[in-house]
Amino acid sequence: MQKWAMFSLFIIACLLGTGVLFQNISARQAERAQEEAAGPTLKFVATNYQFDQPEYTVKAGETVTVTLQNKEGLHAVEIKGLGIKLDNNNKSQQVTFDKPGTYEVICALPCGPGHDQMVTKLVVQ
Ligand SMILES: [Cu+2]
């Protein structure tokens, strides 16, 4: 009798485990589908005192979701010559880059002693 009870508990635990596993997988799939639906993205991750990449690339003519993530400190990002500026109040913007070229990207908010070094590049191909 006790053996049966243990066995039943074991089966229930297995079923619960499998359920949780599948739930995780479908949640991840939904997340990925959402990202794909959002289209191409250009994400600037800012820390004290740099951006996460020395160079970013986008394709000309493509509509891109440009976002700023302040991972450390408080920064703003400006793509020079295009009039695109993002900060904590306006973290995301849809942009279609029409003109191929290399654009200077800077931090547009005096953020501290390393502020002047917060420079990166955007290449529109
Ligand atoms: Cu700055």
Side-chain angles (χ1 to χ4, degrees), residues 43-47 67-72 88 91:
K43 190 175 178 187
F44 296 103
V45 180
T47 52
T67 56
L68 167 69
Q69 188 194 343
N70 275 322
K71 207 171 166 190
E72 179 192 36
N88 258 8
K91 289 183 194 172

Coordinates of all heavy atoms in Angstrom, one line a residue, residues 43-47 67-72 88 91:
K43 N 21.0 48.3 -30.4 CA 21.0 48.5 -29.0 C 22.3 49.0 -28.5 O 23.3 48.4 -28.6 CB 20.6 47.2 -28.3 CG 20.3 47.4 -26.8 CD 19.8 46.0 -26.3 CE 19.6 46.1 -24.8 NZ 19.3 44.8 -24.2
F44 N 22.3 50.2 -27.9 CA 23.4 50.8 -27.3 C 23.4 50.5 -25.8 O 22.4 50.9 -25.1 CB 23.5 52.3 -27.5 CG 23.6 52.7 -28.9 CD1 22.5 53.2 -29.6 CD2 24.9 52.6 -29.5 CE1 22.7 53.6 -31.0 CE2 25.0 53.0 -30.9 CZ 23.9 53.5 -31.6
V45 N 24.3 49.8 -25.3 CA 24.4 49.5 -23.8 C 25.5 50.4 -23.2 O 26.7 50.3 -23.6 CB 24.7 48.0 -23.5 CG1 24.7 47.8 -22.0 CG2 23.6 47.1 -24.2
A46 N 25.1 51.3 -22.3 CA 26.1 52.2 -21.8 C 26.5 51.9 -20.4 O 25.6 51.5 -19.6 CB 25.5 53.6 -21.8
T47 N 27.8 52.0 -20.1 CA 28.3 51.8 -18.7 C 29.2 53.0 -18.5 O 29.4 53.8 -19.4 CB 29.1 50.5 -18.6 OG1 30.0 50.4 -19.6 CG2 28.2 49.3 -18.7
T67 N 17.6 51.4 -29.4 CA 17.3 51.5 -28.0 C 18.6 51.9 -27.2 O 19.7 51.6 -27.6 CB 16.7 50.2 -27.4 OG1 17.6 49.1 -27.7 CG2 15.4 49.9 -27.9
L68 N 18.4 52.5 -26.1 CA 19.5 52.7 -25.1 C 19.2 52.0 -23.8 O 18.1 52.0 -23.3 CB 19.6 54.3 -24.9 CG 20.5 54.7 -23.7 CD1 21.9 54.4 -24.0 CD2 20.2 56.1 -23.3
Q69 N 20.3 51.3 -23.4 CA 20.2 50.7 -22.0 C 21.3 51.2 -21.2 O 22.4 51.0 -21.5 CB 20.3 49.2 -22.2 CG 20.0 48.5 -20.8 CD 20.4 47.0 -20.8 OE1 20.6 46.4 -21.8 NE2 20.6 46.5 -19.6
N70 N 20.9 51.9 -20.1 CA 21.9 52.4 -19.2 C 22.1 51.3 -18.1 O 21.4 51.1 -17.2 CB 21.4 53.7 -18.5 CG 21.7 54.9 -19.3 OD1 22.7 55.0 -19.9 ND2 20.8 55.8 -19.3
K71 N 23.2 50.6 -18.3 CA 23.5 49.4 -17.5 C 24.2 49.9 -16.2 O 24.1 49.3 -15.1 CB 24.4 48.5 -18.2 CG 24.3 47.0 -17.8 CD 25.1 46.2 -18.7 CE 25.3 44.8 -18.2 NZ 26.3 44.1 -19.0
E72 N 25.0 51.0 -16.3 CA 25.7 51.6 -15.2 C 25.8 53.1 -15.4 O 26.1 53.5 -16.5 CB 27.1 51.0 -15.2 CG 28.0 51.5 -14.0 CD 29.4 51.1 -14.2 OE1 29.9 51.0 -15.3 OE2 30.1 50.9 -13.2
N88 N 17.0 58.3 -20.8 CA 16.2 57.4 -20.0 C 14.7 57.7 -20.1 O 13.9 56.9 -19.7 CB 16.7 57.5 -18.5 CG 17.5 56.3 -18.1 OD1 17.8 55.5 -18.9 ND2 17.8 56.2 -16.8
K91 N 13.8 56.0 -24.4 CA 14.8 54.9 -24.5 C 14.8 54.2 -25.9 O 15.7 53.5 -26.2 CB 14.6 53.9 -23.4 CG 14.9 54.3 -22.1 CD 14.8 53.1 -21.1 CE 14.8 53.6 -19.7 NZ 14.4 52.6 -18.8

